[in-house]
Amino acid sequence: MPNVMIPFRKMHGLGNDFVVLDGRAADLGLTPRQAAGIADRHFGIGCDQFIVMEPAPAGSDVFMRIRNPDGSEAGACGNATRCIASLVADELGKDRVVVRTIAGELPVERLPGGLWRADMGPARLGWQDVPLREAADTLHVPLALGPVADPAACSMGNPHATFFVDDLDAIPVREIGPRLETHPIFPDRANIGFAQVTSPEHIRLVIWERGAGLTLACGSGACATIVNAHRRGLTGRRATITMPGGDLVMEWREGDGHVLMTGPVATSFTGQLDPAAFGA
């Protein structure tokens, strides 16, 4: 019997790239091992996160399942949220859709100029929310390694810690990123941000992503960064965050505490894959 080929789409937001599959009509039955194989940049298609669109729960337009390159499941991915929203909005002929993840509902709206604004929900600031191993002040987490210390932490549906540094280019991210991601203070591991505030309206950011490593951009990491920067008194509630792949405009809204993220989406190419080629 011939193998069943599955259509896929390769998308990205600021170089943060995704393999997107559509599982809304039928369960694709892909295992974490297969997801990791497809995400492999040498033996698979290659991506920072592997995304499957699934049937929409009540109140939303699509469910987005997110897996990291190591096969682990993630609760949030801001750049992927915009990408999936753009596909569904075009299908439905709408300018506003709701994307559901295991972390909650994320409304996304189309803006002029090919931009999309996602409401990533409220930042959660308690130590249990991040989570941390034990009770601690999330504005000043007792953690230091090499040239970095004293991060602020929060949850955007996934755990984040932000280190504020004077010179981003001097930080050995590849060396200390994986050690900080897996530090015992983070029982579920964490996304690690290294941020240099250049003005009250601008931040440079590099992210070591949990389960993915160094990426060109991280939407939820940008969300955590504007929240933590404002909590520290380093910026206002709105700032442009520049990552290696480009800029996101971020706002931590007063009142409900939701974080708004504005940026572009793109499709790199489409194709078909054979899931049997990536194990079982």
Side-chain angles (χ1 to χ4, degrees), residues 118-123 156 223 226-227 250-252 257-261:
D119 180 344
M120 297 298 292
M156 288 302 309
C223 293
I226 187 63
V227 169
M250 308 300 306
E251 180 182 354
W252 187 20
H258 283 220
V259 184
L260 307 181
M261 171 189 61

Side-chain angles (χ1 to χ4, degrees), residues 121-143:
R124 297 172 176 85
L125 308 179
W127 70 270
Q128 305 98 324
D129 300 319
V130 177
L132 300 179
R133 176 186 57 196
E134 57 192 18
D137 179 4
T138 60
L139 192 55
H140 296 281
V141 178
L143 174 61

Side-chain angles (χ1 to χ4, degrees), residues 181-228:
E181 173 196 350
T182 58
H183 192 280
I185 201 169
F186 304 117
D188 294 340
R189 299 184 296 163
N191 298 278
I192 307 297
F194 304 92
Q196 178 182 348
V197 178
T198 62
S199 78
E201 295 82 31
H202 183 256
I203 304 170
R204 292 181 61 210
L205 176 66
V206 171
I207 293 283
W208 181 271
E209 286 199 51
R210 179 182 65 162
L214 192 62
T215 58
L216 293 177
C218 177
S220 64
C223 293
T225 299
I226 187 63
V227 169
N228 289 330

Side-chain angles (χ1 to χ4, degrees), residues 140-279:
H140 296 281
V141 178
L143 174 61
L145 181 64
V148 299
D150 187 35
C154 69
S155 172
M156 288 302 309
N158 53 357
H160 286 272
T162 310
F163 289 88
F164 293 97
V165 302
D166 294 328
D167 182 2
L168 186 59
D169 297 325
I171 304 302
V173 176
R174 291 187 183 275
E175 175 186 338
I176 64 175
R179 297 167 63 189
L180 291 165
E181 173 196 350
T182 58
H183 192 280
I185 201 169
F186 304 117
D188 294 340
R189 299 184 296 163
N191 298 278
I192 307 297
F194 304 92
Q196 178 182 348
V197 178
T198 62
S199 78
E201 295 82 31
H202 183 256
I203 304 170
R204 292 181 61 210
L205 176 66
V206 171
I207 293 283
W208 181 271
E209 286 199 51
R210 179 182 65 162
L214 192 62
T215 58
L216 293 177
C218 177
S220 64
C223 293
T225 299
I226 187 63
V227 169
N228 289 330
H230 183 72
R231 293 170 71 204
R232 285 277 181 94
L234 301 174
T235 68
R237 286 185 170 268
R238 181 182 174 91
T240 297
I241 296 186
T242 297
M243 291 170 284
D247 294 349
L248 290 175
V249 177
M250 308 300 306
E251 180 182 354
W252 187 20
R253 194 163 61 193
E254 288 192 79
D256 61 7
H258 283 220
V259 184
L260 307 181
M261 171 189 61
T262 301
V265 303
T267 294
S268 301
F269 57 88
T270 61
Q272 293 187 329
L273 62 85
D274 176 6
F278 302 99

Side-chain angles (χ1 to χ4, degrees), residues 55-86:
S60 63
D61 295 291
V62 66
F63 185 91
M64 179 175 72
R65 183 81 59 188
I66 311 163
R67 290 199 181 276
N68 294 314
D70 63 2
S72 62
E73 189 165 5
C77 181
N79 288 312
T81 299
R82 297 197 317 278
C83 287
I84 298 305
S86 71

